[in-house]
Amino acid sequence: MTAVDLIQELNIDVLKAIDHYVDEGKKVIGISAPGVVPEEIIHAAGLVPVTVWGAEGEVVEAKEYFPAFYASIILRTMDLGLQGKLDKLSGMIITNLSDGLKGFSQNWKRGVESVPMLYLGYGQNRKIEAGITYNIRQFEKLKAQLEEIAGEKISDEKIEEAIKLYNEHRKAMLEFNDLAAKHLNSITPSLRNRVFSSAYCYAKDEHLEKVKAINAALKDMPEEEFDGKKIVTTGILANSEDILKIFEEFNFGIVDDNVLHECLQYETLCKEDTGEPLRALAQVFADIEGNLFLFDEKKLRGPIIAKKVKESGADGVVYLMTKFSDTDEFDYPILRDDLAKENIPMHMIEIDQQMVSFEQAKTALQTFADVL
């Protein structure tokens, strides 16, 4: 099979994934964005983690719990919970990494009683020893909750095994990113996103094998000349089918990203065989750079994106800003100024999972394509 065939076969429907694993007799743990939860502990417990990033569509029942000006990812995820579409989950992990997520955690606890809320309260001063120690304790608490759900203890050996598996998966995903950038005619933005979106719908060992097969198929293909505009994307989400189709209409090729939903979560490896796996996982959280949800006194996101642009030969950056995400909005002016200093063109587009009209985004991207 070709790489395109393999990608098109991937499942990107989280609800179908939950049904599939529950039907297999497995317990499934939901994870709310952003993607910094130590999934290795979940995997080590014999549970299957799936990440729920909301869903396209109108907000209905969540309006009773949140104001209208709330990040749509949270609103749509809450809707799925209130509508009973996530009832088969054995738990939902929600972090404290934004004001929006803090409110989400409490509303979930009150409104979705059928799915236990597992709160992961990170310490944001994450690089100092006190912060690492604090986050280890948070992981210990999560581990105890997962042990209760699984009905068995989670050994350090199992977590060490999971760390190695997840490191291998991280490397495979970054390899796919590099290979996709060399085959921009075949691996369109929609197909590229399908690989990243599918990662949330499979147990990691299963997804790893699928990505390895895709990478092998891409390696067998000759590298392609691309006559369109090469871009680096940034933001929380870049999985809107309508936005991706607009990218394709104006011949944009994504050569790299700083997107939480995509490469960003794979760029920091976990130390293996340390004998202290929870400390190793807390160190990963300390070492992550360029994540808009994590405290960063040095504001490295701009320089990181600038480096990606230069190394990939990109023509510019498209910032896909999640509407009403205060964290995302606060970062924008800093990032804009950082890229301007490097003479890197950037265009910002607001996205929302409730969007029904994309004409404004289409006009903006057409203008940006002309500028580039």
Side-chain angles (χ1 to χ4, degrees):
M1 295 179 70
T2 67
V4 171
D5 291 334
L6 291 168
I7 293 171
Q8 288 176 333
E9 283 192 344
L10 294 169
N11 175 43
I12 58 172
D13 188 326
V14 172
L15 299 183
K16 287 182 179 179
I18 295 170
D19 285 342
H20 169 72
Y21 286 111
V22 170
D23 289 345
E24 285 190 345
K26 297 177 181 177
K27 293 181 178 180
V28 182
I29 301 295
I31 299 170
S32 72
V36 292
V37 170
E39 289 186 32
E40 290 89 339
I41 305 174
I42 304 171
H43 185 90
L47 308 170
V48 180
V50 299
T51 302
V52 185
W53 298 81
E56 299 288 334
E58 182 184 359
V59 173
V60 184
E61 296 183 39
K63 291 178 180 178
E64 297 181 15
Y65 292 83
F66 297 98
F69 47 89
Y70 223 76
S72 60
I73 301 170
I74 292 173
L75 296 176
R76 292 294 291 128
T77 304
M78 187 73 182
D79 254 4
L80 293 176
L82 292 169
Q83 292 165 2
K85 294 181 179 180
L86 300 175
D87 279 358
K88 293 182 181 180
L89 293 176
S90 294
M92 175 64 115
I93 299 175
I94 301 177
T95 72
N96 66 334
L97 294 179
S98 74
D99 289 342
L101 286 167
K102 291 172 187 174
F104 177 42
S105 67
Q106 300 311 302
N107 281 327
W108 183 279
K109 186 175 181 179
R110 179 177 178 83
V112 190
E113 296 180 359
S114 56
V115 182
M117 192 273 290
L118 311 177
Y119 187 65
L120 187 53
Y122 279 111
Q124 278 279 31
N125 203 343
R126 56 199 172 95
K127 293 181 178 293
I128 63 173
E129 181 58 31
I132 292 172
T133 300
Y134 178 86
N135 288 326
I136 292 171
R137 291 173 181 164
Q138 295 303 304
F139 292 173
E140 288 171 345
K141 176 184 174 183
L142 176 64
K143 177 172 172 279
Q145 292 172 316
L146 294 171
E147 287 173 336
E148 185 174 350
I149 292 170
E152 60 182 56
K153 291 291 184 181
I154 306 171
S155 68
D156 284 354
E157 289 75 18
K158 286 290 185 182
I159 301 176
E160 292 281 9
E161 290 175 12
I163 286 173
K164 293 176 182 178
L165 169 64
Y166 271 71
N167 276 345
E168 190 176 359
H169 182 260
R170 290 180 179 105
K171 293 173 184 177
M173 292 299 284
L174 293 178
E175 182 180 28
F176 166 74
N177 180 56
D178 292 340
L179 290 167
K182 298 174 182 177
H183 300 88
L184 295 176
N185 297 318
S186 299
I187 309 303
T188 62
S190 294
L191 286 174
R192 180 182 181 276
N193 169 72
R194 193 172 187 89
V195 175
F196 286 103
S197 292
S198 66
Y200 307 110
C201 302
Y202 292 92
K204 279 296 175 288
D205 51 343
E206 295 178 30
H207 195 255
L208 174 61
E209 292 309 309
K210 293 181 181 297
V211 177
K212 282 183 174 180
I214 292 167
N215 289 348
L218 285 172
K219 289 176 183 177
D220 287 339
M221 294 170 56
E223 294 187 13
E224 299 171 350
E225 291 292 330
F226 181 67
D227 61 2
K229 301 300 182 182
K230 297 179 180 180
I231 58 170
V232 171
T233 51
T234 187
I236 299 172
L237 276 176
N239 67 341
S240 165
E241 290 185 13
D242 292 281
I243 294 293
L244 294 172
K245 286 177 183 176
I246 296 171
F247 280 161
E248 291 161 15
E249 180 179 349
F250 296 118
N251 208 18
F252 285 109
I254 300 174
V255 291
D256 205 347
D257 73 76
N258 170 259
V259 174
L260 191 61
H261 180 265
E262 297 183 345
C263 282
L264 184 53
Q265 63 190 294
Y266 300 120
E267 293 176 343
T268 307
L269 296 177
C270 185
K271 293 181 181 178
E272 300 177 6
D273 297 320
T274 63
E276 296 181 283
L278 294 187
R279 171 172 283 275
L281 292 170
Q283 188 64 53
V284 170
F285 185 72
D287 292 342
I288 293 172
E289 303 292 2
N291 185 322
L292 72 160
F293 281 99
L294 305 189
F295 174 61
D296 174 17
E297 61 182 343
K298 296 181 180 179
K299 300 297 180 186
L300 295 176
R301 187 177 172 202
I304 287 171
I305 295 172
K307 183 179 180 183
K308 285 177 177 285
V309 170
K310 294 172 184 177
E311 291 181 347
S312 65
D315 299 298
V317 174
V318 174
Y319 195 135
L320 297 166
M321 180 183 290
T322 298
K323 193 173 181 179
F324 298 132
S325 170
D326 53 344
T327 314
D328 214 359
E329 292 172 348
F330 288 148
D331 255 20
Y332 172 70
I334 301 170
L335 182 56
R336 177 198 59 203
D337 292 347
D338 284 344
L339 296 184
K341 291 174 185 176
E342 299 289 338
N343 296 314
I344 296 173
M346 181 179 76
H347 197 82
M348 184 272 286
I349 299 173
E350 278 193 326
I351 58 171
D352 190 316
Q353 291 186 333
Q354 302 177 77
M355 286 176 70
V356 293
S357 174
F358 293 85
E359 289 305 313
Q360 186 174 354
K362 185 174 181 178
T363 301
L365 285 171
Q366 182 178 18
T367 301
F368 192 50
D370 292 340
V371 169
L372 295 180

